[in-house]
Amino acid sequence: MPVPHIRFATFDDEDTLGRLDRVTWSPLHAVTPRPRPPYEPFYNERFGPRDHLVAELGDDVVGNVVGNVVGNVVGYIRLGFPTPLPCNSHVRQIQGLAVADEARGAGVGRALLRAAQEEARRQGARRITLRVLGHNTPARKLYESEGFVVEGILPEEFLLDGAYVDDVLMGRHL
């Protein structure tokens, strides 16, 4: 299986990433309501292109199957600071990860996760953290396989579709 190509996002990726974000929305990982028109811009005052790594797969892998995604972009990961505090600047946080359904199982999520860890190291971070919903077993297994451990659980933090869901805090040293 081909290895996904990972690169920094550009301003030209905004529409593609916004569309990808909308088509991958799921109650398995989202705490916000399903996006509805008019759609908010993907980039905003807090997160721009340099805060996102994108994954591309070649035409031979993607083919015409990913009709909702322009070009070969099949995933992204958002890397940010957990807080604006200088005393917390040695930590980076994964604040979004999406992979097109058609590209699942191709190693895209794992490649993005590894690239984000490498970028965090390059930026001088000592730790990387994330939050994941307790019922998102596939994501939790991926994170655990990449060295993340559960560092805390906020029980019943969210009420989603009539069910209370834990917010699981995970992290690892870089």
Side-chain angles (χ1 to χ4, degrees):
M1 176 137 323
V3 176
H5 171 71
I6 308 296
R7 64 172 173 80
F8 278 103
T10 67
F11 282 108
D12 291 340
D13 292 318
E14 182 167 18
D15 289 342
T16 300
L17 295 175
R19 195 167 24 257
L20 179 63
D21 210 39
R22 292 188 297 274
V23 301
T24 59
W25 183 95
S26 166
L28 185 62
H29 62 77
V31 296
T32 57
R34 181 180 295 279
R36 304 239 185 268
Y39 300 117
E40 295 289 322
F42 184 80
Y43 298 136
N44 56 40
E45 63 282 342
R46 189 166 172 215
F47 297 109
R50 295 297 289 181
D51 301 309
H52 296 85
L53 295 166
V54 299
E56 297 174 314
L57 287 176
D59 288 329
D60 56 323
V61 177
V62 180
N64 294 322
V65 178
V66 188
N68 294 313
V69 179
V70 175
N72 299 333
V73 173
V74 294
Y76 78 83
I77 194 165
R78 179 180 297 133
L79 189 62
F81 291 91
T83 72
L85 302 170
C87 62
N88 190 222
S89 66
H90 63 285
V91 180
R92 294 298 178 279
Q93 187 174 60
I94 294 169
Q95 298 182 350
L97 172 63
V99 175
D101 289 345
E102 298 85 352
R104 295 200 180 193
V108 173
R110 186 173 306 280
L112 285 166
L113 195 56
R114 288 178 178 174
Q117 291 174 80
E118 185 56 39
E119 177 57 20
R121 279 187 203 95
R122 191 192 68 72
Q123 293 176 11
R126 296 173 43 96
R127 285 182 30 80
I128 188 167
T129 63
L130 59 86
R131 297 169 70 167
V132 60
L133 293 175
H135 65 211
N136 192 345
T137 303
R140 291 179 65 179
K141 286 183 178 182
L142 171 64
Y143 301 143
E144 288 169 1
S145 75
E146 289 297 318
F148 286 80
V149 296
V150 173
E151 296 181 335
I153 297 176
L154 303 175
E156 299 183 354
E157 187 71 3
F158 300 105
L159 177 60
L160 304 173
D161 289 334
Y164 290 99
V165 180
D166 296 347
D167 189 10
V168 179
L169 312 176
M170 299 182 80
R172 65 163 292 168
H173 291 278
L174 294 172

